[in-house]
Each structure stands twice: as C-alpha cells, then as structure tokens.
Amino acid sequence: SQQGEEDPQALSIQEGENATMNCSYKTSINNLQWYRQNSGRGLVHLILIRSNEREKHSGRLRVTLDTSKKSSSLLITASRAADTASYFCASGSRLTFGEGTQLTVNP
Amino acid sequence: DTGVSQDPRHKITKRGQNVTFRCDPISEHNRLYWYRQTLGQGPEFLTYFQNEAQLEKSRLLSDRFSAERPKGSFSTLEIQRTEQGDSAMYLCASSPPSGSPADTQYFGPGTRLTVL
C-alpha cells in the first residue's frame, strides 16, 4: 500500500493564484519530501521537511508538517504556468509515493 | 550536466524479448535506486544499491527482473521475457553517502518501456 496519499487528485487554478496540496501518510516518518514531475519526465526534488519541523519555506513554496495528524501540505504562492506538473509527497529511505496531485495553472 | 542519466530514454519491444536499461548516477553518490511508474500513479520502489551491494528488493521485482551495479558506479536493470504489464517508466535515482537514511534522491529522466 502507498504511504503517501495526495489530495486533491487534480487542481486547476489561474496564474497568480495560490495552490495548496495535501498529503496524508500512514506510518511514522523521519522526514517527508515533496517532488514535482512534469509530464512524462523525471522527478525533481522540491523540499524536505524533517519530523521535528513544523514548517519550511523555499522560494514560493511553503511546506507544513503535522505529525500528530500524519499530514503535510504544500503551498505554492503566486503560481505560474510553468508550475503545471504533478506533485508527489514521499517518505522513507526507499521512497513511497502517493498518486500525486495534478496541478494545472492556466495563463 | 552532472545529473543522473538513463539510457535509452525510450524502448519499444515485443513481448517475450529481453531488455536492459542503464543508469549512471551522480558521480559521488554511492546509493542508487530503481523505481517503476505506470500512468497516473506515483513511482514504486523496485530495488536499492549501496555501492555494489544490492541491499533491498521489492516484492514487485519478479524473477524476470535483475539489477546489477558491478563496480558501484553505473547500474543496469534487465527484464527477461517481457510482458505487456511491464510497460512503464523506469526511473533511477541516486543519493550521496550520508549519516541520514532518508536523504534527498536525485532522479534521472527515466526510460519509457512499451511492450507490444
């Protein structure tokens, strides 16, 4: 079974808007990572948040982690058309991914 | 470009044929992973090497699949007697030596396999 489950499965917004994606996981983690995948291509690491951190920022990205609820969220602010991609959360050393959130940013 | 590279990028084969994929990790990375991804799904872990030792294999890795990393550098993934269900994107990733067991993994562009 998959460790991470992203929600929503698909999200469509206008350029400039913020996008929020959520991830729930099942077992205890040391850290949680978010990756982006453009259509048919490899994954790009976005951000890693450790289990003792509650929030982390990187540019237009903001990640939160709530270990009591076994959940994380990824916020992309001021979205751009180039942000259109699938976003996955993953945990563990042998990364376990969910099905991802397909984000579409319309120009 | 010193990222993870994979070859070939695309492979079309007939059912029953054998195929082999290659992955070249980032040069100083001693850990190497293989994943498989089908359409609309997230990647699924297949196997993991630390240097030349294959330390873990997923139950997804049937007897028809074999992976090697003979000198602790590049790795190959071979699928024997391919089946249509093997059609997927095969992703390779690497990560540097570290005290943390769950460091960032750097992915290659993948090899897309189509079995006719």
Side-chain angles (χ1 to χ4, degrees):
Chain A
S1 62
Q2 293 183 318
Q3 170 75 311
E5 294 185 3
E6 294 86 352
D7 172 64
Q9 289 188 334
L11 181 60
S12 182
I13 59 174
Q14 295 300 121
E15 211 165 23
E17 293 180 339
N18 296 342
T20 299
M21 289 158 270
N22 302 297
C23 166
S24 59
Y25 57 91
K26 297 174 184 175
T27 61
S28 297
I29 58 171
N30 292 320
N31 63 49
L32 187 137
Q33 304 183 44
W34 285 89
Y35 286 81
R36 181 187 72 213
Q37 185 176 38
N38 292 90
S39 179
R41 300 178 69 177
L43 285 88
V44 173
H45 179 261
L46 295 176
I47 197 165
L48 180 153
I49 186 165
R50 301 200 183 278
S51 59
N52 61 353
E53 298 175 310
R54 293 203 172 226
E55 187 171 312
K56 198 163 183 179
H57 296 257
S58 176
R60 294 183 296 113
L61 305 180
R62 172 178 168 255
V63 169
T64 63
L65 180 64
D66 187 335
T67 53
S68 67
K69 295 182 179 178
K70 292 188 169 57
S71 67
S72 174
S73 68
L74 171 67
L75 168 67
I76 304 173
T77 60
S79 63
R80 306 167 182 168
D83 295 328
T84 295
S86 292
Y87 291 81
F88 296 91
C89 66
S91 61
S93 54
R94 290 68 163 133
L95 292 176
T96 306
F97 292 85
E99 294 183 354
T101 293
Q102 172 61 50
L103 173 65
T104 302
V105 182
N106 301 299
Chain B
D1 189 325
T2 57
V4 178
S5 61
Q6 293 187 245
D7 183 69
R9 295 290 305 277
H10 303 273
K11 179 70 178 179
I12 300 174
T13 191
K14 293 183 179 179
R15 189 176 52 186
Q17 298 294 306
N18 299 343
V19 294
T20 299
F21 310 140
R22 176 178 171 128
C23 170
D24 287 88
I26 295 171
S27 60
E28 63 270 24
H29 288 188
N30 69 332
R31 291 182 281 173
L32 186 148
Y33 309 80
W34 284 98
Y35 294 84
R36 180 174 69 188
Q37 184 179 24
T38 53
L39 197 62
Q41 301 294 313
E44 295 174 296
F45 169 77
L46 292 179
T47 190
Y48 159 63
F49 290 85
Q50 184 166 311
N51 300 312
E52 65 274 11
Q54 188 174 20
L55 297 185
E56 188 170 345
K57 292 194 293 186
S58 164
R59 288 170 294 178
L60 293 175
L61 213 64
S62 76
D63 291 344
R64 296 184 297 105
F65 288 69
S66 63
E68 294 182 344
R69 194 182 184 198
K71 297 183 180 179
S73 56
F74 72 91
S75 175
T76 59
L77 177 67
E78 180 183 17
I79 309 174
Q80 296 182 327
R81 305 181 303 281
T82 52
E83 302 173 355
Q84 289 183 325
D86 296 331
S87 294
M89 175 80 87
Y90 290 84
L91 295 162
C92 176
S94 69
S95 61
S98 168
S100 169
D103 281 343
T104 299
Q105 295 182 20
Y106 298 84
F107 282 80
T111 294
R112 182 169 296 283
L113 172 67
T114 302
V115 182
L116 303 176

